[in-house]
Amino acid sequence: MAKNLDKIRNIGICAHIDAGKTTVTERVLYFAGRTYKIGEVHDGTAVMDYLEEEQQRGITITSAATTLSWNDHTVNLIDTPGHVDFTIEVERSLRVLDGAVAVFCGVGGVEAQSETVWHQADRYNVPRICFVNKMDRMGADFDMVVGEIASRLSGNPVCLQIPMGAGDDYRGQIDLIKRKAYFYDKTEMATDIRIEDIPAEYADDAELARHDMIEKLAEFDDSPLLEKYLADEGEKITESEIVAAVRAGCLTRKVHPVLCGSALKHIGVRPLLDAVVSYLPSPHEVTDIVGHESLKSDKQVTRKSDPSEPFSALVFKVISDSHGDLNFIRVYSGTLKAGTRVLNSTQDKKENLSRIWEMHAKQRNPRDEATAGDIVAVVGLRNSLTGDTLCDPKAPIILERLDLPEPVISMSIEPRTNADKQILINALDTLRREDPSFQYSYDSESGQTIISGMGELHLEVIKHKMVRDLGLEIRVGKPRVSYKETILGSAEAEGQFIRQIGGRGQYAEVKLRVEAFTPAGEEDPIVFIDETKGGPISSHYIPFVREGVMDAATSGFLAGYPMLNVKVTLLDGKEHPVDSSDLAFEQAGVMAFNAAVEKAKPVFLEPIMKLTVTTPDEYFGSVSGDLAARRAVITNQEMRGKYRVLTAEVPLAEMFGYTTQVRSLSQGRASATMEPYSYAPAPSQVTEQLLRYV
């Protein structure tokens, strides 16, 4: 039976840590009949947080997928982490989703990771619904959160609901479209919503909020709603016209509908599900997916979200287990049947896909086929990694890959016995396949294996996986910062690779200019430009000069750290009709680059973190003094009730163990979050310390 794509919603739930994403998801599963008992994050029983590490810590570490039904619609839902160390999980989820629910804490408002996930959704053009959660908590302020969505996220929040009360007085919400009040019995689990007339004490506020809603929608709507609004016929605007205007604004990302509730108390979850199917797009309503014909071709290929189109899908997550890799894919076009042979066009390898699973967290339900719009897991792929494209071998297409973040922290790791060395390498390979933001390398000078990731928690979780899940006994060093290198000036230099030892020799001369530059948008951190005139070097050799330059930039100049923000221009060169070779020009490129960098004021770059600290006002002095000692620059501070929120830029090297310290300074009442922000030249004392080990 053909599937109706208009009845499919592919959504993610994302937000800052502790805003209540997983709690919202657990209630959604319950009300949709997907589970019969509500799991709680604080009890370690949440269905979507099924890893032992997640249950022990009470946080989401890996994104989990499930499928449910609501109002005759199929909803493929992904619950994502909120901690910045696991931002790759949000990145790869948003890459394949059509819509998202952004959850905000009614007390905390727009927090650090809220901004990160919002901008990730902007990058992938994902329409959003906003849900202001925890309205039953003391200090909840709905208007503040709505204001911050506009001011800090540059969103266009349109309130479809307003709360009745807040904190202990929170009673429910008012639906501005239907002009009705929703009440909930707090003493009963998942009781029915009581829909009543708006209480008299909220009538004026509701009418004012409704007027604001219609006014905002009219700005972006060309339907009868705009005509009636301009004709001052607001009372004649129908419910269906408002719903159509909200949907149109949401799909074009010009409007961000806002709802409210308390997931922990089961308040507002069912209206949120109604909004998901009413306002977020179906696979039919998103832009046709565009890719390239092959890695070597710039020719664009388009696929419509249609089961009859040639098959195409993107691998966005890999989980390894004892039975082989489980690959999560988003099917963009066509139909995929179990037992099919497909092409991994990214790697130009054919794969046998044996089984298809519909996932519910860690549970698997078999399926015979998957069609356009589906998010499923498949078994049988041997070579496919996150970001690879699967397609019909007769109709190749390569879809855009994921943007992977650069690791900012490293530590050494080694097995306790030589017998475990190969087991460790296999384990690291497995973890690298599962998590593209995790990297490892072998330091030939020290003989150590170095693992790198997005933060202390990220590496700690990696370590625990190896010890607990893989049974490895390992020793780890202290976390250390992943520095980078760059140049502050510009310089020119030549590189000559001339070897003559009987017979055919090696000959290449290259002249380069290096200069500091700032990448724009998606531009690479190292840019290579050919400005040779008159053909002093054959066009065949120029890619090898570039390869030599890129290898040298990756290896660094001062202490082996990769280089950033360098523009390299090939100015001139010489070749020999007999002795020149690919290798000679590659080596000449390395020599010219290193010689030019030496004259262009090379410096170390240290990662700078964006830090947000929320502290009771009485501890502000202690917290800010401690930050000053850590070379932090406070960029903003504001009061939220009795709490002061500090935003600062601070070197990562100064922040190891900071969470424990800030709690100690505030008797456990302050909290802090940080995320990678930028790189900045390291001060002289840091430079001296780094060069001491070269």
Side-chain angles (χ1 to χ4, degrees):
M1 185 175 69
K3 183 181 292 186
N4 185 355
L5 289 183
D6 293 327
K7 298 283 189 178
I8 293 178
R9 299 290 183 271
N10 292 315
I11 69 163
I13 297 185
C14 48
H16 184 85
I17 190 170
D18 286 339
K21 300 174 306 303
T22 302
T23 303
V24 170
T25 305
E26 293 297 317
R27 271 57 181 177
V28 164
L29 295 178
Y30 180 82
F31 289 126
R34 198 68 178 82
T35 57
Y36 299 97
K37 180 182 178 182
I38 295 180
E40 299 291 4
V41 175
H42 52 268
D43 292 335
T45 57
V47 173
M48 303 299 273
D49 286 351
Y50 58 86
L51 297 179
E52 185 176 338
E53 195 80 21
E54 294 176 316
Q55 293 169 354
Q56 288 178 351
R57 294 178 181 272
I59 62 171
T60 302
I61 291 173
T62 181
S63 55
T66 189
T67 302
L68 54 95
S69 297
W70 186 258
N71 286 356
D72 199 29
H73 286 69
T74 298
V75 180
N76 295 313
L77 183 150
I78 296 180
D79 177 33
T80 65
H83 198 287
V84 67
D85 283 19
F86 310 107
T87 189
I88 183 62
E89 294 289 337
V90 185
E91 184 86 21
R92 58 185 175 187
S93 298
L94 288 172
R95 170 67 178 82
V96 299
L97 293 172
D98 302 328
V101 176
V103 180
F104 300 92
C105 173
V107 179
V110 174
E111 298 170 275
Q113 187 66 359
S114 307
E115 295 186 50
T116 302
V117 298
W118 189 272
H119 296 317
Q120 285 173 315
D122 280 339
R123 186 159 64 249
Y124 293 117
N125 299 318
V126 177
R128 273 142 281 171
I129 288 174
C130 303
F131 183 70
V132 182
N133 192 26
K134 302 190 178 183
M135 285 303 303
D136 60 318
R137 278 187 55 190
M138 186 67 68
D141 188 335
F142 179 76
D143 292 335
M144 175 204 72
V145 180
V146 173
E148 289 187 350
I149 293 171
S151 62
R152 296 182 59 178
L153 302 179
S154 301
N156 184 35
V158 174
C159 298
L160 308 187
Q161 299 174 347
I162 60 171
M164 291 185 287
D168 291 339
D169 298 327
Y170 183 56
R171 303 163 64 191
Q173 64 271 108
I174 293 171
D175 188 321
L176 300 177
I177 299 177
K178 297 181 177 180
R179 284 176 160 161
K180 291 292 182 182
Y182 297 159
F183 291 93
Y184 304 80
D185 188 342
K186 295 183 182 180
T187 62
E188 293 186 26
M189 172 80 74
T191 185
D192 290 336
I193 302 174
R194 290 185 287 112
I195 302 176
E196 300 179 4
D197 291 334
I198 299 172
E201 65 265 35
Y202 295 108
D204 291 343
D205 289 342
E207 283 307 303
L208 183 61
R210 190 176 194 274
H211 180 271
D212 289 343
M213 174 188 70
I214 293 173
E215 184 177 35
K216 279 192 171 184
L217 292 172
E219 293 176 13
F220 301 102
D221 189 38
D222 296 327
S223 71
L225 183 144
L226 176 61
E227 297 173 11
K228 289 183 179 180
Y229 177 78
L230 293 175
D232 200 22
E233 297 178 355
E235 289 301 315
K236 295 183 181 178
I237 295 175
T238 65
E239 183 180 318
S240 60
E241 288 170 343
I242 296 175
V243 169
V246 174
R247 181 171 179 76
C250 188
L251 296 187
T252 55
R253 302 180 304 283
K254 295 177 179 178
V255 163
H256 300 108
V258 182
L259 299 91
C260 61
S262 167
L264 189 64
K265 301 287 181 63
H266 327 295
I267 298 176
V269 176
R270 281 163 288 183
L272 175 63
L273 270 170
D274 292 337
V276 164
V277 300
S278 296
Y279 306 126
L280 291 179
S282 71
H284 263 159
E285 294 167 308
V286 296
T287 308
D288 294 342
I289 195 72
V290 177
H292 290 94
E293 201 169 48
S294 69
L295 287 173
K296 298 179 181 179
S297 171
D298 291 332
K299 182 181 177 182
Q300 288 193 336
V301 183
T302 302
R303 293 279 188 272
K304 296 182 182 297
S305 188
D306 187 331
S308 62
E309 285 265 308
F311 166 70
S312 68
L314 186 77
V315 179
F316 69 93
K317 183 179 175 70
V318 179
I319 295 178
S320 297
D321 63 19
S322 56
H323 303 293
D325 286 352
L326 187 67
N327 295 72
F328 287 74
I329 65 171
R330 160 68 192 265
V331 182
Y332 282 102
S333 63
T335 300
L336 174 69
K337 295 184 180 296
T340 302
R341 191 167 172 80
V342 298
L343 172 68
N344 181 327
S345 52
T346 308
Q347 300 190 37
D348 196 25
K349 294 179 180 178
K350 290 188 177 179
E351 297 264 45
N352 291 315
L353 191 150
S354 57
R355 307 193 73 175
I356 302 173
W357 300 100
E358 181 180 288
M359 299 301 295
H360 176 51
K362 64 179 177 180
Q363 298 174 16
R364 308 178 186 183
N365 301 315
R367 288 179 56 166
D368 295 327
E369 66 176 30
T371 60
D374 281 339
I375 293 177
V376 294
V378 298
V379 176
L381 306 181
R382 293 183 177 273
N383 301 299
S384 297
L385 302 172
T386 298
D388 285 358
T389 300
L390 304 178
C391 62
D392 185 332
K394 297 178 182 177
I397 183 174
I398 297 180
L399 305 177
E400 179 188 356
R401 299 201 71 168
L402 291 163
D403 290 326
L404 300 179
E406 282 285 325
V408 297
I409 190 171
S410 305
M411 68 182 184
S412 62
I413 185 170
E414 58 184 28
R416 290 191 179 274
T417 65
N418 287 331
D420 285 340
K421 277 188 176 179
Q422 189 57 48
I423 300 175
L424 175 62
I425 295 299
N426 294 340
L428 293 174
D429 280 338
T430 297
L431 293 168
R432 179 72 181 88
R433 278 205 315 278
E434 291 187 349
D435 182 357
S437 65
F438 167 72
Q439 297 180 9
Y440 77 92
S441 60
Y442 181 74
D443 187 335
S444 56
E445 292 184 8
S446 67
Q448 292 180 319
T449 299
I450 307 298
I451 61 174
S452 304
M454 300 305 298
E456 286 183 272
L457 179 60
H458 188 197
L459 293 187
E460 190 178 333
V461 168
I462 292 287
K463 182 186 74 173
H464 285 178
K465 277 187 179 180
M466 287 190 281
V467 173
R468 187 186 57 242
D469 299 344
L470 303 173
L472 271 171
E473 289 192 26
I474 53 176
R475 288 191 293 261
V476 297
K478 290 183 178 180
R480 61 192 192 188
V481 175
S482 294
Y483 292 93
K484 305 292 184 186
E485 298 178 17
T486 192
I487 55 175
L488 298 180
S490 64
E492 295 181 5
E494 293 184 359
Q496 298 180 339
F497 188 77
I498 302 173
R499 303 286 187 274
Q500 193 70 47
I501 313 177
R504 181 177 175 179
Q506 298 282 356
Y507 185 95
E509 291 190 32
V510 167
K511 184 178 182 181
L512 298 174
R513 178 174 66 241
V514 298
E515 54 193 309
F517 95 116
T518 303
E522 302 295 320
E523 203 170 6
D524 291 332
I526 304 292
V527 171
F528 180 87
I529 298 173
D530 174 23
E531 285 189 0
T532 54
K533 296 178 181 178
I537 303 175
S538 301
S539 59
H540 167 78
Y541 291 127
I542 289 174
F544 293 96
V545 177
R546 180 185 185 281
E547 191 171 326
V549 166
M550 293 302 175
D551 285 346
T554 301
S555 301
F557 177 78
L558 293 170
Y561 294 107
M563 301 197 77
L564 296 177
N565 305 345
V566 180
K567 180 180 179 182
V568 184
T569 306
L570 176 59
L571 301 172
D572 202 356
K574 290 182 183 179
E575 64 179 72
H576 189 278
V578 176
D579 291 345
S580 288
S581 67
D582 300 345
L583 175 64
F585 274 99
E586 184 177 333
Q587 292 302 311
V590 171
M591 296 164 70
F593 179 81
N594 286 335
V597 166
E598 186 175 13
K599 297 188 288 185
K601 301 178 184 176
V603 296
F604 289 106
L605 290 174
E606 61 178 352
I608 303 297
M609 309 299 283
K610 183 177 181 181
L611 173 72
T612 302
V613 183
T614 303
T615 176
D617 196 39
E618 59 262 37
Y619 301 109
F620 169 71
S622 300
V623 171
S624 59
D626 179 68
L627 287 176
R630 295 172 184 268
R631 297 193 283 131
V633 177
I634 296 177
T635 57
N636 188 47
Q637 52 178 295
E638 59 184 277
M639 292 298 297
R640 291 185 185 172
K642 296 179 181 179
Y643 284 81
R644 194 183 293 256
V645 180
L646 302 178
T647 305
E649 296 169 14
V650 58
L652 174 61
E654 306 288 344
M655 296 306 290
F656 292 124
Y658 180 71
T659 302
T660 303
Q661 175 68 7
V662 77
R663 287 175 180 160
S664 174
L665 290 171
S666 62
Q667 296 183 6
R669 296 172 63 193
S671 62
T673 60
M674 63 180 178
E675 60 181 308
Y677 179 67
S678 65
Y679 282 87
S684 57
Q685 67 268 26
V686 174
T687 298
E688 291 170 8
Q689 188 176 358
L690 291 173
L691 290 175
R692 200 176 301 151
Y693 298 104
V694 177

